[in-house]
Amino acid sequence: MHLARAVVRYGFQFRDVLAAWELFVEGLLVTLTLSVAAFAGGLALGVLGAAIRTYGPGWAKFLVSSYVAVVRNTPLLVQLFVIFFGLPALGIRLDSMTAAIIALIFNLGAYTVEIVRAGFESIPEGQLEAGRALGLSGPQIFRHVVLFQSMRSMVPALSSQFIFFMLGTAAVSQIAVTDLFHTASLVQSRTFRDFEVYIVIAGIYLVLAQVMRLVFAGGYRLAFGGRS
Amino acid sequence: MIRGFSPNDILFLLGALRWTALLAAGAFVGSAVVGLVLATMRLSRFRAVRWLAIVYVQLVQGIPLLVWLFLLYFGVAMLGFNVDPWLAAILGFSIYGGAFLGEVWRGAMGSIEVTQWEAGAALGLSISQQLRHVIVPQSVQIAIPPTIGFLVQLIKNTSLASTIGILEVTREGQLTSAATYQPMTVYLVVAALYFALCFPLTQWSRSLERKFNAGR
Amino acid sequence: MPVVEINNIVKRFGSNTVLDDVSLSVDRGEVITVLGRSGSGKSTMLRCINGLEPIQGGSIRVDGVEVNDPACDLRVLRQNVGIVFQSFNLFPHLSVCDNITLAPRIVQRQAREHSRDLARGVLRQVGLEDKLDAFPNSLSGGQKQRVAIARSLAMHPKVMLFDEVTSALDPELTGEVLKVLEGVAAAGMTMILVTHEIGFARRFGSRVVFMHHGKVHEIGPAAETLANPQTAEFAAFLSAVLH
Ligand SMILES: Nc1ncnc2c1ncn2[C@@H]1O[C@H](COP(=O)(O)OP(=O)(O)O)[C@@H](O)[C@H]1O
Ligand SMILES: [Mg+2]
């Protein structure tokens, strides 16, 4: 009740905040760049990891599952800190954008391994046997039989994982990457309208997430037809 | 003054882990309440109620947790309230986590075949008795592993509370790192602490899931 | 007074009329077998009788109580009407005993000690007394179905509905379930069975109902009607089932 009355009394002023739209656009571009780079890298890493987890030798399997376990059981924020603040102590100096991309790829890669592996394992043994019976080599079977079929079941999980991940990239603002979330503090220090700033930022993320949902759904329909 | 990283620092970090755990516990309870309400709303007879729950989930999951925390902490402060960071954090985690937990639980209930409801109805059980004696006990079994998975997610997310000034283990790590100039060591220890908290839960969730699948 | 009285009911799913002016009156102790092709509306008719499906026209009375009257307490009705499904629908998280006693305990408010005796009693009727504390997933299909029958018997219903209760079973398990049904019929239960077991219908049925395109296409005393179907459709159906 108090809160509702306070909101009414507050007197929203979006003009100054919206006047800084160029900053928001810049931040949005950074967020998109980061997300796309991480998506490409994470997907590659994830498919590689999943292939090793499913078909690789024992020691390599262990390596991959350790990687997955470490990443999945620690916060992204701490991973960012280790890479951005920690690595310079070992003489590896990265600018914040590079550090962010590396951390994001490693992070997304681990989650992707699990999704892709589940996709691989959903291919019945009979399919592999059929491939062998036709004289296909291991890599050929992987490419033509496993990869394509499992894509279909993986894409929905991957796309929701990606949208979730994209929103999570806001954490990179904490290592001074000027992403969309970081923009908020820039605009805030100009306008001192914290509430409006974060409402606008929330709105941009919300639209971004919905647009991505539509894009993925459309892409899925294009690639696999209307049936799901 | 620069000092080295000492065993004392580890103790401090361990002490801060307590606040991480407390934060996660509070957030879990809050998320459970919100999640229960949402899952119940999704069962409603009224389309508008179901629709409201869906919109809530879409809205909440379309906005980063960090934005929720800042909205509740810095934003609400603008309205002239003195916002306690703990309150803002637990509220933010509950709003956000509830959407996920609600979906998990709804999914678990949805995976119970409609014939189970019918069998209950055919024996003269009321809707609430069907829920209580037939649907919920079966869904709980299905829901436990993903709920533990959610808890792991939540524990990791509490690290974001450091950004609104809560002195949990990540924030303590930032302070220690600044004081010792040993960021690598400090953040690896912090990561190890999270791992120690989350890894057993992850494994537990997996083994329950495996056991459940085997029993089917 | 008939136990079940179906008067000119109409049931639609959207624009699809599934039951079209169906009437049937069942007296106490009668064993009605319902035959018909898949999709002819047999299951739907049973589901209407215990209120699992609302009807769009006509009326159904069970023991004098109007099923589709808004004032009718469906929970009371369902204690009087037992139904056994093709897919058993046992509760997998409950033991056999708890499956059977759940409704008597929470709907009829029986004490737990008493209800265990009740479970033992109905299990004896279906020949599974030793399975009192087993869990459904440890039982064979035939045993599951017998437990489902016992669960229904435990409510002491006035009429029992059986929807193709042997169709999901291997042939060698069908016999044990039919034997149980035979026992239930012999004990005087009023029964409506949807089945493809013509032999059972002939020997234990009082009357047969042949459903076709959502209508009662033919009805008559079991043995005679099965031996001398009056309509071409029923004759065709019988020869398809028998050969
Ligand atoms: N819940 C439902 N929604 C829509 N149509 C249904 C539903 N249940 C049954 N039907 C339709 O009603 C008709 C009769 O079904 P049913 O009573 O199951 O036939 P039977 O048991 O004789 O095989 C079928 O055409 C079926 O598709
Ligand atoms: Mg049927």
Short mmCIF file of all heavy atoms in Angstrom, two decimals, chain A residues 65-87:
data_model
loop_
_atom_site.label_atom_id
_atom_site.label_comp_id
_atom_site.label_asym_id
_atom_site.label_seq_id
_atom_site.Cartn_x
_atom_site.Cartn_y
_atom_site.Cartn_z
N SER A 65 34.19 -34.29 -18.18
CA SER A 65 33.20 -34.19 -17.10
C SER A 65 33.71 -33.34 -15.94
O SER A 65 32.91 -32.70 -15.27
CB SER A 65 32.71 -35.56 -16.61
OG SER A 65 33.61 -36.55 -16.88
N SER A 66 35.03 -33.32 -15.73
CA SER A 66 35.56 -32.43 -14.69
C SER A 66 35.32 -30.97 -15.07
O SER A 66 34.89 -30.16 -14.24
CB SER A 66 37.06 -32.64 -14.50
OG SER A 66 37.33 -34.00 -14.33
N TYR A 67 35.59 -30.66 -16.33
CA TYR A 67 35.35 -29.30 -16.82
C TYR A 67 33.89 -28.91 -16.60
O TYR A 67 33.59 -27.85 -16.05
CB TYR A 67 35.75 -29.22 -18.29
CG TYR A 67 35.06 -28.17 -19.11
CD1 TYR A 67 35.22 -26.81 -18.84
CD2 TYR A 67 34.25 -28.53 -20.19
CE1 TYR A 67 34.58 -25.84 -19.61
CE2 TYR A 67 33.61 -27.57 -20.96
CZ TYR A 67 33.76 -26.23 -20.66
OH TYR A 67 33.13 -25.30 -21.42
N VAL A 68 33.01 -29.80 -17.01
CA VAL A 68 31.58 -29.52 -16.87
C VAL A 68 31.22 -29.32 -15.40
O VAL A 68 30.52 -28.36 -15.03
CB VAL A 68 30.73 -30.64 -17.49
CG1 VAL A 68 29.26 -30.47 -17.15
CG2 VAL A 68 30.92 -30.67 -19.00
N ALA A 69 31.72 -30.21 -14.55
CA ALA A 69 31.37 -30.12 -13.13
C ALA A 69 31.87 -28.83 -12.51
O ALA A 69 31.15 -28.17 -11.76
CB ALA A 69 31.94 -31.32 -12.38
N VAL A 70 33.10 -28.43 -12.84
CA VAL A 70 33.65 -27.21 -12.26
C VAL A 70 32.84 -25.99 -12.70
O VAL A 70 32.45 -25.15 -11.88
CB VAL A 70 35.14 -27.03 -12.66
CG1 VAL A 70 35.62 -25.62 -12.33
CG2 VAL A 70 35.99 -28.06 -11.93
N VAL A 71 32.56 -25.90 -13.98
CA VAL A 71 31.84 -24.72 -14.46
C VAL A 71 30.42 -24.68 -13.92
O VAL A 71 29.94 -23.63 -13.50
CB VAL A 71 31.83 -24.70 -16.01
CG1 VAL A 71 30.91 -23.61 -16.51
CG2 VAL A 71 33.24 -24.47 -16.53
N ARG A 72 29.77 -25.84 -13.91
CA ARG A 72 28.36 -25.83 -13.52
C ARG A 72 28.16 -25.65 -12.03
O ARG A 72 27.05 -25.35 -11.59
CB ARG A 72 27.68 -27.12 -13.97
CG ARG A 72 27.52 -27.17 -15.47
CD ARG A 72 26.86 -28.44 -15.89
NE ARG A 72 25.53 -28.53 -15.34
CZ ARG A 72 24.42 -28.66 -16.05
NH1 ARG A 72 24.50 -28.75 -17.34
NH2 ARG A 72 23.26 -28.74 -15.48
N ASN A 73 29.19 -25.86 -11.25
CA ASN A 73 29.03 -25.74 -9.80
C ASN A 73 29.69 -24.51 -9.21
O ASN A 73 29.89 -24.43 -8.00
CB ASN A 73 29.52 -27.01 -9.11
CG ASN A 73 28.60 -28.19 -9.37
OD1 ASN A 73 27.45 -28.21 -8.94
ND2 ASN A 73 29.08 -29.15 -10.14
N THR A 74 30.05 -23.54 -10.08
CA THR A 74 30.58 -22.27 -9.59
C THR A 74 29.88 -21.13 -10.34
O THR A 74 29.45 -21.30 -11.46
CB THR A 74 32.10 -22.17 -9.83
OG1 THR A 74 32.37 -22.43 -11.21
CG2 THR A 74 32.86 -23.17 -8.98
N PRO A 75 29.77 -19.96 -9.70
CA PRO A 75 29.03 -18.85 -10.33
C PRO A 75 29.80 -18.24 -11.50
O PRO A 75 31.03 -18.16 -11.46
CB PRO A 75 28.88 -17.83 -9.21
CG PRO A 75 29.30 -18.50 -7.96
CD PRO A 75 30.20 -19.63 -8.33
N LEU A 76 29.08 -17.80 -12.49
CA LEU A 76 29.68 -17.10 -13.63
C LEU A 76 30.47 -15.88 -13.16
O LEU A 76 31.56 -15.60 -13.66
CB LEU A 76 28.58 -16.67 -14.60
CG LEU A 76 29.01 -15.77 -15.77
CD1 LEU A 76 30.03 -16.47 -16.64
CD2 LEU A 76 27.80 -15.36 -16.61
N LEU A 77 29.92 -15.18 -12.17
CA LEU A 77 30.58 -13.97 -11.68
C LEU A 77 31.99 -14.29 -11.19
O LEU A 77 32.95 -13.57 -11.49
CB LEU A 77 29.75 -13.36 -10.55
CG LEU A 77 30.18 -11.99 -10.05
CD1 LEU A 77 30.12 -10.97 -11.18
CD2 LEU A 77 29.29 -11.53 -8.89
N VAL A 78 32.13 -15.39 -10.45
CA VAL A 78 33.44 -15.76 -9.92
C VAL A 78 34.36 -16.22 -11.06
O VAL A 78 35.56 -15.93 -11.07
CB VAL A 78 33.30 -16.85 -8.83
CG1 VAL A 78 34.65 -17.32 -8.35
CG2 VAL A 78 32.47 -16.32 -7.68
N GLN A 79 33.77 -16.90 -12.03
CA GLN A 79 34.58 -17.30 -13.20
C GLN A 79 35.13 -16.06 -13.91
O GLN A 79 36.29 -16.01 -14.32
CB GLN A 79 33.73 -18.13 -14.17
CG GLN A 79 33.34 -19.49 -13.61
CD GLN A 79 32.16 -20.11 -14.35
OE1 GLN A 79 31.78 -19.65 -15.43
NE2 GLN A 79 31.57 -21.15 -13.76
N LEU A 80 34.30 -15.04 -14.03
CA LEU A 80 34.75 -13.79 -14.65
C LEU A 80 35.89 -13.16 -13.84
O LEU A 80 36.88 -12.71 -14.40
CB LEU A 80 33.58 -12.80 -14.73
CG LEU A 80 32.52 -13.07 -15.80
CD1 LEU A 80 31.26 -12.26 -15.53
CD2 LEU A 80 33.07 -12.72 -17.19
N PHE A 81 35.73 -13.18 -12.52
CA PHE A 81 36.76 -12.59 -11.66
C PHE A 81 38.08 -13.35 -11.80
O PHE A 81 39.15 -12.75 -11.85
CB PHE A 81 36.30 -12.60 -10.19
CG PHE A 81 35.25 -11.57 -9.89
CD1 PHE A 81 34.62 -11.55 -8.64
CD2 PHE A 81 34.88 -10.62 -10.83
CE1 PHE A 81 33.65 -10.60 -8.35
CE2 PHE A 81 33.91 -9.66 -10.56
CZ PHE A 81 33.29 -9.66 -9.31
N VAL A 82 38.00 -14.68 -11.83
CA VAL A 82 39.23 -15.47 -11.94
C VAL A 82 39.96 -15.10 -13.23
O VAL A 82 41.17 -14.87 -13.24
CB VAL A 82 38.92 -16.98 -11.92
CG1 VAL A 82 40.14 -17.81 -12.33
CG2 VAL A 82 38.46 -17.41 -10.53
N ILE A 83 39.23 -14.99 -14.31
CA ILE A 83 39.88 -14.75 -15.60
C ILE A 83 40.34 -13.29 -15.73
O ILE A 83 41.44 -13.02 -16.19
CB ILE A 83 38.94 -15.15 -16.76
CG1 ILE A 83 38.82 -16.68 -16.77
CG2 ILE A 83 39.45 -14.64 -18.10
CD1 ILE A 83 37.91 -17.23 -17.82
N PHE A 84 39.51 -12.36 -15.28
CA PHE A 84 39.87 -10.96 -15.49
C PHE A 84 40.86 -10.45 -14.43
O PHE A 84 41.83 -9.78 -14.76
CB PHE A 84 38.61 -10.09 -15.48
CG PHE A 84 38.89 -8.65 -15.80
CD1 PHE A 84 39.39 -8.27 -17.04
CD2 PHE A 84 38.66 -7.65 -14.84
CE1 PHE A 84 39.66 -6.94 -17.32
CE2 PHE A 84 38.92 -6.32 -15.13
CZ PHE A 84 39.42 -5.96 -16.37
N PHE A 85 40.59 -10.77 -13.17
CA PHE A 85 41.49 -10.28 -12.12
C PHE A 85 42.60 -11.27 -11.81
O PHE A 85 43.68 -10.88 -11.39
CB PHE A 85 40.70 -9.99 -10.83
CG PHE A 85 39.67 -8.92 -10.99
CD1 PHE A 85 38.33 -9.20 -10.81
CD2 PHE A 85 40.04 -7.62 -11.32
CE1 PHE A 85 37.37 -8.20 -10.94
CE2 PHE A 85 39.08 -6.61 -11.46
CZ PHE A 85 37.74 -6.91 -11.28
N GLY A 86 42.31 -12.54 -11.98
CA GLY A 86 43.26 -13.57 -11.57
C GLY A 86 44.39 -13.78 -12.56
O GLY A 86 45.57 -13.82 -12.19
N LEU A 87 44.04 -13.91 -13.84
CA LEU A 87 45.06 -14.24 -14.84
C LEU A 87 46.21 -13.23 -14.92
O LEU A 87 47.36 -13.63 -15.09
CB LEU A 87 44.41 -14.43 -16.22
CG LEU A 87 43.64 -15.73 -16.41
CD1 LEU A 87 43.15 -15.88 -17.85
CD2 LEU A 87 44.50 -16.94 -16.03
#
